[in-house]
Amino acid sequence: MLLPSKKDLKTAMEVFAIFQWALSAFLIVITVLLINLYLVVFTPYWPVTVLILTWLAFDWKTPERGGRRFPCVRKWCLWKHYCNYFPIKLLKTHDISPSHNYILACHPHGLMSHACFGNFATDNKNFTKMFPGITPYMLTLGAFFWVPFLREYIMSTGACSVSQSSMDFLLTQKGTGNMLIVVVGGLAECRYSLPGSSTLVLKNRCGFVRMALRHGVALIPAYVFGETDLYNQHIFTPGGLVNRFQKWFQRVVHIYPCAFYGRGFTKNSWGLLPHAQTLTTVVGEPLALPKIENPSKDLVAKYHALYIDALRKLFDQHKTKFGISETQELVVV
């Protein structure tokens, strides 16, 4: 009987790590709902569900109060396999002092922000060695913290809510050396996640600039080369029935439903695995901002424009190193 080689085992672990993270939210939500429904309807153990809901109510504000990270979870060897699948790389261009706080804006979102998670929600890419004294807080949608057990799992990686109160707390109550990771484009950027695309949803996203001004913290631009190359999308006919549904759904829930696909388990097959494309996150130079408690719209617009200029400069300086044409520009919509 033939035994799997070390390479086969390595590949299997990498695939498992990808599916585990991508499907964990769905599986945990379904499991929690079904088990609690069963306890309430078919057993006398409904007090268990009451206790869970009581704890949820008691602990509701934790994702907005710095979360509850577990360093041991961030160091799981599973995340090493996750990062090696692509692989994921982190490139520092400037030193960052731990005596200040920062907001790092990461672009693009892609479909699942694989690079952002691998670099900032795990300790397997030498972040702590590359940025000594800096604590990263990956900020994500508050809805991920509504479900028991799922919220614990996500918070254990150091993730917090992206709400204003959460950012205010992290920038004022946790000392210095904190780096808030915000994927500015959000889920609205999924529609532009196509191979070779460099389109960002950023033109009207000014909240992170206003937050930086209110607290007087520096903005750090970061661009992930390769994030949009992980999946393909089927583009429906503009104005057609499906396309109109996509636009309506986006207006209602702010999520653009994509018909995406990647690779399968065998070569040249279709599936839901992302393509094994190297992802390199280039972290730029901090853009210092003054502290203005109530910045005007004009002032926010001014520094928003300066931030976009810094991001364009970062993109142009590094694009040819990662297979992007010298003539291709960053498109902001």
Side-chain angles (χ1 to χ4, degrees), residues 59-67 145 151 155 159-162 166:
D59 196 53
W60 188 256
K61 289 293 185 179
T62 298
E64 298 183 353
R65 297 294 182 268
F145 304 103
R151 69 200 306 269
M155 280 195 292
C160 295
S161 172
V162 75
S166 174

Side-chain angles (χ1 to χ4, degrees), residues 238-296:
L241 180 62
V242 177
N243 182 250
R244 291 202 303 271
F245 168 78
Q246 288 176 308
K247 292 181 178 179
W248 171 82
F249 194 87
Q250 184 181 26
R251 287 196 302 270
V252 173
V253 299
H254 305 290
I255 297 176
Y256 188 83
C258 304
F260 69 92
Y261 59 94
R263 52 158 285 199
F265 292 105
T266 59
K267 189 176 181 180
N268 298 324
S269 63
W270 288 12
L272 294 179
L273 280 172
H275 295 292
Q277 164 76 39
T278 300
L279 302 178
T280 304
T281 303
V282 182
V283 179
E285 180 180 6
L287 176 65
L289 271 65
K291 183 175 182 178
I292 305 172
E293 292 188 5
N294 294 299
S296 64

Side-chain angles (χ1 to χ4, degrees), residues 20-293:
Q20 181 274 147
W21 178 248
L23 297 178
S24 59
F26 175 77
L27 294 177
I28 292 176
V29 169
I30 295 299
T31 302
V32 168
L33 290 178
L34 290 179
I35 289 179
N36 281 280
L37 182 63
Y38 175 77
L39 291 176
V40 171
V41 177
F42 299 105
T43 76
Y45 299 110
W46 57 267
V48 174
T49 299
V50 173
L51 286 174
I52 292 174
L53 293 177
T54 301
W55 167 251
L56 181 63
F58 175 79
D59 196 53
W60 188 256
K61 289 293 185 179
T62 298
E64 298 183 353
R65 297 294 182 268
R68 189 163 42 241
R69 72 172 58 211
F70 289 98
C72 58
V73 175
R74 289 175 57 87
K75 294 179 181 178
W76 276 356
C77 63
L78 185 68
W79 305 135
K80 180 179 180 180
H81 295 297
Y82 178 96
C83 294
N84 288 341
Y85 173 90
F86 299 98
I88 291 174
K89 299 180 180 180
L90 186 63
L91 177 61
K92 180 179 74 170
T93 61
H94 291 80
D95 290 330
I96 296 177
S97 171
S99 60
H100 304 285
N101 289 327
Y102 306 90
I103 295 178
L104 183 146
C106 195
H107 313 270
H109 181 281
L111 285 170
M112 296 187 184
S113 295
H114 285 293
C116 185
F117 175 80
N119 282 316
F120 305 117
T122 78
D123 283 336
N124 282 280
K125 296 314 296 177
N126 295 322
F127 178 91
T128 52
K129 293 181 180 179
M130 196 173 293
F131 300 101
I134 300 294
T135 302
Y137 290 89
M138 190 180 72
L139 304 186
T140 187
L141 292 174
F144 284 117
F145 304 103
W146 294 352
V147 180
F149 302 107
L150 174 62
R151 69 200 306 269
E152 311 300 332
Y153 186 31
I154 294 177
M155 280 195 292
S156 69
T157 66
C160 295
S161 172
V162 75
S163 66
Q164 179 178 325
S165 61
S166 174
M167 297 179 75
D168 284 336
F169 182 89
L170 291 171
L171 293 173
T172 59
Q173 304 298 318
K174 300 288 284 186
T176 59
N178 301 304
M179 180 186 288
L180 281 56
I181 318 298
V182 182
V183 187
V184 179
L187 293 172
E189 217 164 61
C190 291
R191 64 184 300 181
Y192 302 107
S193 184
L194 298 164
S197 171
S198 57
T199 300
L200 305 179
V201 176
L202 182 57
K203 187 177 181 179
N204 297 315
R205 300 291 174 102
C206 299
F208 71 106
V209 178
R210 182 177 293 104
M211 180 64 66
L213 284 169
R214 286 182 55 221
H215 294 279
V217 300
L219 287 173
I220 303 177
Y223 192 90
V224 183
F225 290 93
E227 186 74 51
T228 59
D229 298 326
L230 298 181
Y231 299 94
N232 299 94
Q233 280 194 54
H234 179 76
I235 305 300
F236 295 97
T237 304
L241 180 62
V242 177
N243 182 250
R244 291 202 303 271
F245 168 78
Q246 288 176 308
K247 292 181 178 179
W248 171 82
F249 194 87
Q250 184 181 26
R251 287 196 302 270
V252 173
V253 299
H254 305 290
I255 297 176
Y256 188 83
C258 304
F260 69 92
Y261 59 94
R263 52 158 285 199
F265 292 105
T266 59
K267 189 176 181 180
N268 298 324
S269 63
W270 288 12
L272 294 179
L273 280 172
H275 295 292
Q277 164 76 39
T278 300
L279 302 178
T280 304
T281 303
V282 182
V283 179
E285 180 180 6
L287 176 65
L289 271 65
K291 183 175 182 178
I292 305 172
E293 292 188 5

